[in-house]
Amino acid sequence: MPLNIYARTALLRNFWHDMRRYARHSFAIASNGRENQRAIIRILTHYLEGGESFPDVRLGFGQEKAHSILNKIEVYVADFEADDTVLWAHATLESYLAFHRCQGMPLVDIEERHAEQARRLCIHPRDGGGGSELVRAEEIRNAVDFDFGESLRNRHSVRQYTPAQISDDQIHKIVVNAQQCPNVCNRQTIRVYAYNDRKTVQKILPLQAGNAGFRQEIGTLFIVTANLEHFNLIGERYQGWIDGGIFAMTLALAIHAEGLGACFLNWSVEQEADQLLRNALRIPDNEIVITCMSAGHLKDEFRVPVSARKPLDEVLTLSREVVL
Ligand SMILES: Cc1cc2nc3c(=O)[nH]c(=O)nc-3n(C[C@H](O)[C@H](O)[C@H](O)COP(=O)(O)O)c2cc1C
């Protein structure tokens, strides 16, 4: 294999750049900022929320975590206000405590701390919509009673749009729907920058190479980023890309579900190009850019690449055995 010094050096330089950003903004090394603190509260809260939804709930689970949430909230509200994260945590604690009460095992010391904190911070636990809820299989089956495969087969990367502009209301709806995607510990690390003014979009697009053949068609542009301040483990160093990818795909499907067209526009760039976009759009240093995506109204007829899929056996390994 030829030793390509230039490529190796560039690769190392880019990894080093990414590593520094992760070290600076995640709390894998030290926790300090507001978002780091919010993330810790969300991780702990999610533990309680998740614990309630297991098939066999272990009574008394999570008491240490519950105390820890109350402690972290004290520190948090000393510097910041009781925001949606605090409300969610309180509502989840309320549900957790009610669950134990109903099972004949009231967690008195946590109940007292929770009630006292709620009183002092003027929090009504129900404000935050947390805890667990009962859902019915029938409701889910009714909601998916359509041919999802057919819908997927009719999604294409669309590179032609009519001049009509997508409305801001539709953009709100699309992003609210995309927010329903799964994400690590419900930390919701993703931010979407939506540009819905044709002139502005046309100024941004030259920064991305993959739209050159259809740039003039594009009137709406989404940019999906992930906030590194929500990650706390070294093992999570790529989690932003994963959550971002999942969000971006859901965004594409939400656009498709509106009867509109979308095309991912890759942000597979080196640090210099990345910095240009960040500077132009004022994307803060703590966010990583996952992808761009164009969107627009469908023409009555238009061409798309067939983009044939690989044979299933190249994609699927369906196993019954494992050597352990
Ligand atoms: C992360 C990602 C980046 C992409 N970047 C571009 C791009 O820059 N320009 C483009 O025309 N298509 C881009 N695409 C679209 C792919 O070419 C397309 O999804 C693929 O060929 C499959 O076709 P389909 O989406 O129509 O099924 C991208 C897709 C993904 C998932």
Side-chain angles (χ1 to χ4, degrees):
M1 199 199 292
L3 187 69
N4 187 336
I5 296 287
Y6 173 76
R8 278 171 192 250
T9 312
L11 187 61
L12 263 179
R13 199 170 50 80
N14 279 273
F15 269 129
W16 176 251
H17 183 73
D18 292 346
M19 191 274 277
R20 282 185 51 150
R21 175 172 280 124
Y22 191 76
R24 206 178 301 136
H25 298 294
S26 73
F27 49 113
I29 296 173
S31 156
N32 36 43
R34 175 178 188 162
E35 291 303 316
N36 294 164
Q37 292 185 43
R38 282 181 88 190
I40 296 172
I41 296 171
R42 293 191 86 88
I43 292 166
L44 292 166
T45 303
H46 177 67
Y47 179 90
L48 294 191
E49 201 177 51
E52 271 183 52
S53 58
F54 293 150
D56 298 308
V57 182
R58 190 172 47 80
L59 269 189
F61 78 94
Q63 292 181 62
E64 231 175 82
K65 298 254 185 332
H67 278 295
S68 187
I69 292 171
L70 292 163
N71 295 341
K72 304 271 182 218
I73 288 175
E74 286 300 336
V75 175
Y76 185 74
V77 295
D79 290 330
F80 316 107
E81 77 274 9
D83 60 14
D84 63 296
T85 297
V86 175
L87 297 185
W88 178 53
H90 257 254
T92 302
L93 279 167
E94 171 73 14
S95 166
Y96 164 82
L97 291 167
F99 173 82
H100 281 89
R101 232 179 287 129
C102 290
Q103 301 294 321
M105 186 188 170
L107 303 173
V108 179
D109 51 340
I110 303 173
E111 295 235 13
E112 283 173 4
R113 284 196 67 196
H114 175 253
E116 187 279 322
Q117 193 179 72
R119 238 186 342 266
R120 190 160 31 86
L121 301 178
C122 301
I123 295 172
H124 190 284
R126 291 288 161 217
D127 291 349
S132 60
E133 60 183 344
L134 200 67
V135 294
R136 296 185 193 290
E138 196 190 350
E139 285 164 10
I140 296 173
R141 284 192 203 106
N142 288 341
V144 296
D145 188 17
F146 70 103
D147 192 338
F148 185 54
E150 190 61 12
S151 173
L152 289 178
R153 281 185 289 279
N154 276 284
R155 185 213 54 84
H156 307 280
S157 289
V158 178
R159 299 176 178 90
Q160 306 181 30
Y161 310 107
T162 73
Q165 204 64 28
I166 297 176
S167 72
D168 284 357
D169 282 349
Q170 242 175 333
I171 289 190
H172 289 154
K173 183 176 171 196
I174 287 163
V175 176
V176 164
N177 284 342
Q179 277 187 286
Q180 288 305 316
C181 69
N183 63 90
V184 68
C185 299
N186 198 25
R187 273 179 258 178
Q188 301 179 52
T189 59
I190 303 306
R191 182 151 197 93
V192 182
Y193 296 84
Y195 297 90
N196 201 25
D197 170 71
R198 188 169 288 273
K199 274 196 190 145
T200 310
V201 168
Q202 289 298 317
K203 279 191 205 159
I204 303 170
L205 286 171
L207 297 172
Q208 197 272 346
N211 65 78
F214 61 109
R215 183 168 301 160
Q216 70 289 351
E217 300 277 304
I218 305 172
T220 301
L221 182 68
F222 294 94
I223 295 177
V224 177
T225 70
N227 185 352
L228 296 178
E229 292 173 317
H230 297 147
F231 299 117
N232 64 330
L233 301 175
I234 292 168
E236 288 184 324
R237 65 198 181 281
Y238 299 119
Q239 193 63 44
W241 307 106
I242 297 166
D243 277 18
I246 291 169
F247 191 103
M249 189 61 238
T250 314
L251 184 72
L253 290 176
I255 295 169
H256 173 56
E258 286 298 292
L260 301 167
C263 185
F264 273 85
L265 299 170
N266 76 83
W267 197 242
S268 310
V269 295
E270 295 183 27
Q271 63 186 74
E272 292 78 11
D274 190 51
Q275 200 54 51
L276 279 180
L277 185 82
R278 290 169 175 284
N279 293 346
L281 306 184
R282 296 196 191 91
I283 295 173
D285 194 62
N286 51 288
E287 294 177 24
I288 47 172
V289 180
I290 307 297
T291 191
C292 310
M293 192 180 298
S294 64
H297 286 272
L298 300 175
K299 294 180 175 173
D300 288 341
E301 267 188 352
F302 56 96
R303 280 196 174 271
V304 294
V306 172
S307 298
R309 281 357 191 210
K310 290 178 175 176
L312 186 61
D313 62 3
E314 283 188 36
V315 176
L316 173 68
T317 306
L318 185 59
S319 304
R320 299 195 195 287
E321 286 172 15
V322 68
V323 185
L324 274 180

